Protein backbone atom coordinates (compact mmCIF):
# COMPACT_ATOMS: atom_id res chain seq x y z
CA UNK A 1 0.00 0.00 0.00
CA UNK A 2 1.06 3.59 -0.51
CA UNK A 3 0.74 6.37 2.03
CA UNK A 4 0.76 10.05 1.12
CA UNK A 5 0.91 12.49 4.02
CA UNK A 6 -0.33 15.95 3.15
CA UNK A 7 0.25 19.09 5.16
CA UNK A 8 -3.44 19.74 5.69
CA UNK A 9 -7.00 18.80 4.72
CA UNK A 10 -7.11 21.15 1.74
CA UNK A 11 -3.89 19.82 0.25
CA UNK A 12 -5.11 16.25 0.71
CA UNK A 13 -8.42 17.11 -0.98
CA UNK A 14 -6.75 18.87 -3.91
CA UNK A 15 -4.29 16.04 -4.46
CA UNK A 16 -7.05 13.44 -4.56
CA UNK A 17 -9.23 15.63 -6.80
CA UNK A 18 -6.23 15.97 -9.12
CA UNK A 19 -5.92 12.18 -9.36
CA UNK A 20 -9.64 11.80 -10.01
CA UNK A 21 -9.48 14.49 -12.71
CA UNK A 22 -6.47 12.84 -14.33
CA UNK A 23 -8.22 9.45 -14.28
CA UNK A 24 -11.31 10.94 -15.95
CA UNK A 25 -9.17 12.57 -18.63
CA UNK A 26 -7.43 9.24 -19.29
CA UNK A 27 -10.65 7.19 -19.26
CA UNK A 28 -13.63 9.37 -20.18
CA UNK A 29 -16.05 6.65 -19.12
CA UNK A 30 -14.29 6.05 -15.79
CA UNK A 31 -16.35 4.02 -13.31
CA UNK A 32 -15.94 5.91 -10.09
CA UNK A 33 -16.90 4.63 -6.63
CA UNK A 34 -17.84 7.52 -4.34
CA UNK A 35 -18.11 8.12 -0.57
CA UNK A 36 -20.16 10.62 1.40
CA UNK A 37 -19.37 12.21 4.77
CA UNK A 38 -17.36 15.19 5.94
CA UNK A 39 -14.05 13.92 4.55
CA UNK A 40 -14.68 14.15 0.78
CA UNK A 41 -16.43 17.54 0.81
CA UNK A 42 -13.43 19.68 -0.14
CA UNK A 43 -12.34 17.11 -2.73
CA UNK A 44 -15.78 17.37 -4.36
CA UNK A 45 -15.59 21.18 -4.19
CA UNK A 46 -12.26 21.01 -6.03
CA UNK A 47 -13.75 18.76 -8.73
CA UNK A 48 -16.60 21.28 -9.16
CA UNK A 49 -14.02 24.06 -9.46
CA UNK A 50 -12.08 22.14 -12.13
CA UNK A 51 -15.33 21.56 -14.02
CA UNK A 52 -16.33 25.25 -13.83
CA UNK A 53 -12.90 26.28 -15.10
CA UNK A 54 -13.52 24.08 -18.12
CA UNK A 55 -10.85 21.57 -17.19
CA UNK A 56 -13.00 18.53 -16.65
CA UNK A 57 -15.82 16.78 -18.48
CA UNK A 58 -18.04 14.35 -16.56
CA UNK A 59 -20.40 13.64 -19.46
CA UNK A 60 -19.27 10.01 -19.80
CA UNK A 61 -18.31 9.40 -16.16
CA UNK A 62 -20.24 6.65 -14.40
CA UNK A 63 -20.58 6.71 -10.60
CA UNK A 64 -21.51 4.14 -7.96
CA UNK A 65 -22.00 5.38 -4.42
CA UNK A 66 -20.85 3.28 -1.51
CA UNK A 67 -23.93 3.35 0.65
CA UNK A 68 -27.31 4.77 1.56
CA UNK A 69 -29.40 4.81 4.73
CA UNK A 70 -32.33 2.42 4.89
CA UNK A 71 -35.63 4.26 5.06
CA UNK A 72 -34.46 7.50 3.45
CA UNK A 73 -35.65 8.23 -0.06
CA UNK A 74 -33.37 9.93 -2.56
CA UNK A 75 -35.09 13.28 -1.93
CA UNK A 76 -34.78 13.13 1.85
CA UNK A 77 -32.38 15.94 2.82
CA UNK A 78 -30.45 13.52 5.07
CA UNK A 79 -30.01 10.90 2.36
CA UNK A 80 -26.59 10.35 0.88
CA UNK A 81 -28.12 10.90 -2.55
CA UNK A 82 -29.07 14.43 -1.50
CA UNK A 83 -25.58 14.95 -0.11
CA UNK A 84 -24.09 13.94 -3.46
CA UNK A 85 -26.47 16.20 -5.39
CA UNK A 86 -25.57 19.16 -3.20
CA UNK A 87 -21.83 18.55 -3.10
CA UNK A 88 -21.16 17.30 -6.63
CA UNK A 89 -23.82 16.09 -9.04
CA UNK A 90 -25.88 19.32 -9.24
CA UNK A 91 -22.78 21.29 -10.19
CA UNK A 92 -21.24 19.17 -12.95
CA UNK A 93 -22.32 17.76 -16.30
CA UNK A 94 -22.77 14.14 -15.20
CA UNK A 95 -25.74 12.36 -16.80
CA UNK A 96 -28.34 11.28 -14.25
CA UNK A 97 -28.52 7.88 -15.96
CA UNK A 98 -24.83 7.41 -15.14
CA UNK A 99 -25.36 7.92 -11.39
CA UNK A 100 -25.90 4.73 -9.39
CA UNK A 101 -26.99 4.46 -5.78
CA UNK A 102 -28.07 1.63 -3.50
CA UNK A 103 -31.82 1.97 -2.93
CA UNK A 104 -32.61 2.80 0.70
CA UNK A 105 -36.32 2.19 0.38
CA UNK A 106 -36.35 -1.07 -1.50
CA UNK A 107 -39.14 -3.57 -0.92
CA UNK A 108 -36.69 -6.46 -1.27
CA UNK A 109 -33.15 -5.61 -0.22
CA UNK A 110 -31.71 -8.94 -1.29
CA UNK A 111 -32.81 -8.43 -4.91
CA UNK A 112 -31.87 -4.76 -4.85
CA UNK A 113 -28.38 -5.48 -3.52
CA UNK A 114 -27.80 -8.16 -6.16
CA UNK A 115 -29.05 -5.76 -8.84
CA UNK A 116 -26.55 -3.15 -7.61
CA UNK A 117 -23.72 -5.66 -7.86
CA UNK A 118 -24.92 -6.66 -11.34
CA UNK A 119 -24.96 -3.04 -12.49
CA UNK A 120 -21.35 -2.60 -11.31
CA UNK A 121 -20.31 -5.76 -13.13
CA UNK A 122 -22.20 -4.79 -16.28
CA UNK A 123 -20.36 -1.47 -16.28
CA UNK A 124 -17.09 -3.43 -16.28
CA UNK A 125 -16.28 -2.97 -12.58
CA UNK A 126 -15.16 0.07 -10.64
CA UNK A 127 -11.98 1.68 -11.95
CA UNK A 128 -11.28 4.05 -9.06
CA UNK A 129 -12.88 3.65 -5.64
CA UNK A 130 -12.68 6.56 -3.21
CA UNK A 131 -13.20 5.94 0.50
CA UNK A 132 -13.33 7.65 3.85
CA UNK A 133 -12.74 5.74 7.09
CA UNK A 134 -14.88 5.58 10.21
CA UNK A 135 -13.43 6.22 13.66
CA UNK A 136 -14.01 2.50 14.22
CA UNK A 137 -12.17 1.60 11.01
CA UNK A 138 -15.23 0.95 8.88
CA UNK A 139 -15.17 1.46 5.11
CA UNK A 140 -18.48 2.16 3.45
CA UNK A 141 -20.80 0.91 6.16
CA UNK A 142 -18.85 -2.31 6.65
CA UNK A 143 -18.69 -2.20 10.41
CA UNK A 144 -16.13 -4.10 12.53
CA UNK A 145 -17.23 -7.68 13.11
CA UNK A 146 -16.36 -11.35 12.97
CA UNK A 147 -16.95 -11.79 9.26
CA UNK A 148 -16.63 -10.08 5.90
CA UNK A 149 -19.56 -9.19 3.68
CA UNK A 150 -18.60 -9.77 0.08
CA UNK A 151 -21.33 -8.03 -1.89
CA UNK A 152 -23.65 -5.09 -1.35
CA UNK A 153 -25.89 -5.85 1.64
CA UNK A 154 -28.26 -4.41 4.18
CA UNK A 155 -26.23 -3.79 7.33
CA UNK A 156 -26.73 -2.73 10.94
CA UNK A 157 -24.85 0.37 12.04
CA UNK A 158 -22.87 0.34 15.27
CA UNK A 159 -23.62 2.78 18.04
CA UNK A 160 -20.31 4.51 17.37
CA UNK A 161 -21.25 5.14 13.74
CA UNK A 162 -24.74 6.31 14.68
CA UNK A 163 -23.23 8.75 17.19
CA UNK A 164 -20.59 9.91 14.70
CA UNK A 165 -23.23 10.58 12.04
CA UNK A 166 -25.69 12.27 14.41
CA UNK A 167 -24.00 15.59 13.56
CA UNK A 168 -25.73 15.47 10.16
CA UNK A 169 -29.21 15.07 11.75
CA UNK A 170 -31.32 17.29 14.02
CA UNK A 171 -31.34 14.68 16.80
CA UNK A 172 -29.39 11.40 17.23
CA UNK A 173 -32.68 9.47 17.32
CA UNK A 174 -33.25 10.42 13.66
CA UNK A 175 -30.13 8.57 12.49
CA UNK A 176 -31.23 5.32 10.79
CA UNK A 177 -29.85 2.19 12.44
CA UNK A 178 -29.50 0.29 9.16
CA UNK A 179 -28.07 1.04 5.74
CA UNK A 180 -27.29 -0.58 2.40
CA UNK A 181 -23.57 -0.73 1.73
CA UNK A 182 -21.22 -2.07 -0.89
CA UNK A 183 -19.49 -5.12 0.59
CA UNK A 184 -15.79 -5.47 1.28
CA UNK A 185 -15.59 -7.62 -1.84
CA UNK A 186 -17.30 -4.94 -3.94
CA UNK A 187 -14.70 -2.44 -2.75
CA UNK A 188 -11.75 -4.83 -3.14
CA UNK A 189 -12.70 -5.65 -6.75
CA UNK A 190 -12.09 -2.01 -7.76
CA UNK A 191 -8.94 -1.63 -9.88
CA UNK A 192 -7.57 1.15 -7.75
CA UNK A 193 -8.52 2.46 -4.29
CA UNK A 194 -7.88 5.76 -2.56
CA UNK A 195 -8.74 6.21 1.13
CA UNK A 196 -8.81 9.71 2.59
CA UNK A 197 -8.57 10.52 6.29
CA UNK A 198 -8.09 13.77 8.12
CA UNK A 199 -8.12 14.92 11.71
CA UNK A 200 -7.11 13.48 15.09
CA UNK A 201 -10.30 11.46 15.43
CA UNK A 202 -9.12 9.18 12.59
CA UNK A 203 -5.53 8.71 13.77
CA UNK A 204 -6.13 5.53 15.78
CA UNK A 205 -8.18 3.85 13.02
CA UNK A 206 -5.52 4.81 10.45
CA UNK A 207 -2.75 3.41 12.65
CA UNK A 208 -4.58 0.12 13.11
CA UNK A 209 -5.45 -0.08 9.41
CA UNK A 210 -1.81 0.44 8.42
CA UNK A 211 0.07 -1.36 11.18
CA UNK A 212 -2.37 -3.62 13.02
CA UNK A 213 -3.50 -7.13 12.14
CA UNK A 214 -5.45 -7.59 8.92
CA UNK A 215 -8.87 -8.40 10.32
CA UNK A 216 -12.59 -7.78 9.77
CA UNK A 217 -12.54 -6.25 13.25
CA UNK A 218 -10.82 -3.29 11.59
CA UNK A 219 -12.31 -3.37 8.09
CA UNK A 220 -9.90 -0.80 6.58
CA UNK A 221 -6.98 -3.13 7.41
CA UNK A 222 -8.30 -5.51 4.73
CA UNK A 223 -7.34 -2.92 2.11
CA UNK A 224 -3.70 -3.99 2.63
CA UNK A 225 -4.59 -7.11 0.65
CA UNK A 226 -5.37 -4.95 -2.42
CA UNK A 227 -2.59 -4.45 -4.99
CA UNK A 228 -3.29 -0.76 -5.69
CA UNK A 229 -4.39 1.17 -2.61
CA UNK A 230 -3.22 4.58 -1.44
CA UNK A 231 -4.04 6.31 1.84
CA UNK A 232 -4.10 10.11 1.59
CA UNK A 233 -3.77 11.55 5.10
CA UNK A 234 -3.40 14.92 6.69
CA UNK A 235 -0.82 15.34 9.46
CA UNK A 236 -3.29 14.73 12.28
CA UNK A 237 -4.67 11.51 10.81
CA UNK A 238 -1.11 10.22 10.26
CA UNK A 239 0.14 11.34 13.68
CA UNK A 240 0.21 7.87 15.27
CA UNK A 241 1.92 6.11 12.39
CA UNK A 242 5.40 6.85 13.69
CA UNK A 243 4.54 6.00 17.30
CA UNK A 244 5.51 2.56 18.61
P1 LIG B 1 -16.64 11.20 7.71
O1 LIG B 1 -17.11 9.70 7.61
O2 LIG B 1 -16.01 11.53 6.40
O3 LIG B 1 -17.90 11.99 7.94
O4 LIG B 1 -15.68 11.29 8.85
C1 LIG B 1 -16.24 8.75 7.09
C2 LIG B 1 -16.84 7.38 7.22
O5 LIG B 1 -17.60 7.14 8.17
O6 LIG B 1 -16.52 6.51 6.39
Amino acid sequence: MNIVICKNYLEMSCQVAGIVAESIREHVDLKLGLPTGETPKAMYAELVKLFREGNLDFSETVTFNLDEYVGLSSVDPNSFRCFMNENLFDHINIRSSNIHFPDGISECFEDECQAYEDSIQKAGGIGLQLLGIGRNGHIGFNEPGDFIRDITSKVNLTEDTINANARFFKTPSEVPSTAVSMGIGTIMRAKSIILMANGDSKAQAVKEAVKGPITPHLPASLLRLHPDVTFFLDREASSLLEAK
Side-chain angles (χ1 to χ4, degrees), residues 1-21:
M1 77 181 300
N2 303 304
I3 297 177
V4 178
I5 298 173
C6 306
K7 69 172 188 283
N8 56 38
Y9 173 63
L10 200 59
E11 187 190 294
M12 177 192 87
S13 306
C14 289
Q15 281 206 33
V16 174
I19 292 170
V20 175

Side-chain angles (χ1 to χ4, degrees), residues 51-150:
F51 170 72
R52 287 195 175 136
E53 290 168 351
N55 291 324
L56 202 49
D57 175 13
F58 291 89
S59 60
E60 302 298 323
T61 310
V62 178
T63 64
F64 291 92
N65 261 83
L66 271 170
D67 41 24
E68 181 58 280
Y69 288 117
V70 165
L72 301 193
S73 80
S74 58
V75 294
D76 189 300
N78 286 318
S79 68
F80 287 152
R81 177 56 198 256
C82 246
F83 172 98
M84 288 306 302
N85 290 347
E86 280 166 17
N87 285 279
L88 184 67
F89 298 151
D90 284 352
H91 311 290
I92 59 173
N93 66 336
I94 191 165
R95 285 189 217 163
S96 59
S97 57
N98 283 347
I99 296 171
H100 300 85
F101 243 92
D103 184 0
I105 50 168
S106 172
E107 305 240 304
C108 176
F109 283 104
E110 212 170 302
D111 289 354
E112 171 58 32
C113 289
Q114 188 56 54
Y116 198 61
E117 287 293 318
D118 293 346
S119 63
I120 293 172
Q121 254 185 35
K122 204 168 142 218
I126 291 170
L128 175 59
Q129 176 69 55
L130 305 179
L131 298 172
I133 182 172
R135 297 183 307 200
N136 63 2
H138 74 198
I139 46 176
F141 272 140
N142 293 280
E143 300 283 38
D146 292 335
F147 63 94
I148 292 169
R149 280 201 173 74
D150 180 25

